[in-house]
């Protein structure tokens, strides 16, 4: 699963790499042209670098696998909305409020905007991070498994710039996936339930417009919460030439961390797990907003980005690329 899905070898600079007959790239990022020596390349311009970022982003978002993941994520609010509608009086059931389930689910029948909050709470622990793990794990390893990575490096990209472009594209997917859930939930909520003023967790009421702004802020917070696993997945992707292995390892690590977070005896390490403060986005729906857990979440994600982003850079800039 890689650039072959979207004709990726037509990317900026790849054609020139193919014409040169390059067969490998060493740890310094230099191209090899058979036995004739080192291939000379020019330093990339700023516009070329912007083109690289844009190309990476388009490549990620146009893959069929990415579109399928977004489709599955967008379907979750539909299922939740229909289930709650069926269980409410006049909708085919009689238990009203749905009882239990994700946070905010009992308020959905009174205000469809709460379907946004409930859907994000339902998808954040598993579905959203798994989708991000798949995309991040495939970022570098997928290129290596399809044989296109060495051509990207023969072009005047530079390893650091290429790795940064891939991480930015994964971050863009984090935001896109989160917005897919939120927008789908908003549409379904408006279709199946009434809309109006929002009652915050603190018990106060805010206008519907303010509620929409809070929903947008929550979507941004959720996307920011996924930056840590995105960096972790990118690092794992630099360790192997198998896209499937990198994706499976990232998702497996996510599941392991989720399990560790539920074992009381491991309370000493739980504050350092990247999943620790994921649900702190609910504090945005308080009046006033509680910033304590939100700030801790941002700090923890920044720590993971710094540590595993640096590890990914160190690995990627020193390894020999032969695939």
């Amino acid at each position: 699963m890689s650039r072959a899905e979207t004709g990726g070898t037509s990317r900026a600079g790849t054609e020139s790499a193919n014409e040169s007959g390059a067969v490998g790239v060493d740890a310094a990022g230099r191209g090899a042209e058979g036995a004739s020596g080192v291939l000379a390349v020019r330093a990339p311009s700023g516009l070329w670098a912007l083109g690289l970022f844009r190309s990476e982003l388009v490549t990620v978002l146009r893959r069929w696998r990415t579109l399928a993941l977004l489709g599955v994520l967008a379907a979750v609010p539909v299922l939740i909305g229909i289930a709650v509608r069926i269980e409410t009086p006049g909708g085919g059931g009689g238990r009203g409020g749905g009882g239990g389930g994700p946070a905010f689910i009992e308020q959905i029948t009174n205000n469809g905007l709460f379907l946004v909050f409930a859907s994000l709470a339902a998808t954040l622990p598993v579905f959203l991070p798994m989708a991000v793990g798949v995309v991040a794990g495939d970022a570098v390893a997928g290129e290596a498994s399809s044989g296109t990575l060495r051509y990207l490096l023969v072009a005047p990209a530079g390893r650091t710039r290429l790795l940064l472009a891939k991480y930015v594209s994964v971050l863009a997917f984090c935001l896109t996936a989160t917005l897919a859930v939120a927008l789908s939930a908003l549409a379904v909520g408006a279709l199946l339930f009434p809309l109006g003023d929002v009652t915050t967790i603190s018990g106060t009421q805010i206008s519907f417009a303010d509620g929409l702004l809070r929903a947008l802020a929550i979507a941004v917070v959720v996307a920011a919460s996924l930056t840590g696993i995105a960096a972790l997945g990118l690092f794992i992707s630099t360790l192997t030439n198998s896209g499937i292995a990198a994706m499976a390892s990232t998702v497996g690590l996510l599941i392991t961390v989720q399990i560790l977070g539920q074992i009381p005896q491991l309370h000493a390490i739980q504050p350092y797990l990247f999943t620790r403060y994921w649900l702190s986005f609910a504090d945005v729906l308080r009046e006033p907003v509680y910033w304590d857990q939100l700030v801790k979440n941002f700090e923890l994600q920044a720590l993971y980005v710094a540590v595993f982003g640096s590890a990914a850079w160190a690995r990627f800039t020193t390894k020999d690329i032969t695939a």
Side-chain angles (χ1 to χ4, degrees), residues 297-312:
N297 181 33
F298 296 150
E299 291 175 345
L300 185 60
Q301 301 308 319
L303 177 62
Y304 271 83
V305 170
V307 172
F308 289 101
S310 299

Side-chain angles (χ1 to χ4, degrees), residues 225-282:
S225 299
L226 299 171
T227 56
I229 190 173
L232 182 58
L234 187 66
F235 169 62
I236 294 175
S237 187
T238 64
L239 300 178
T240 176
N241 289 336
S242 171
I244 295 178
M247 290 185 285
S249 298
T250 304
V251 173
L253 186 58
L254 167 67
I255 296 173
T256 301
V257 170
Q258 293 277 29
I259 294 174
L260 294 177
Q262 301 301 317
I263 301 177
Q265 291 79 4
L266 299 178
H267 62 87
I269 67 170
Q270 289 171 352
Y272 304 101
L273 301 178
F274 57 81
T275 59
R276 175 68 174 183
Y277 303 105
W278 271 0
L279 296 182
S280 63
F281 73 81

Side-chain angles (χ1 to χ4, degrees), residues 48-63:
W48 195 96
L50 289 176
L52 175 63
F53 283 103
R54 181 177 59 84
S55 180
E56 284 293 335
L57 180 60
V58 171
T59 298
V60 169
L61 296 181
R62 289 181 59 185
R63 286 173 175 162

Side-chain angles (χ1 to χ4, degrees), residues 47-87:
L47 290 178
W48 195 96
L50 289 176
L52 175 63
F53 283 103
R54 181 177 59 84
S55 180
E56 284 293 335
L57 180 60
V58 171
T59 298
V60 169
L61 296 181
R62 289 181 59 185
R63 286 173 175 162
W64 284 108
R65 180 180 62 248
T66 303
L67 297 177
L69 289 172
L70 293 176
V72 171
L73 290 172
V76 173
V78 178
L79 297 177
I80 295 177
I82 292 175
V84 173
R85 179 63 179 173
I86 291 175
E87 290 299 311

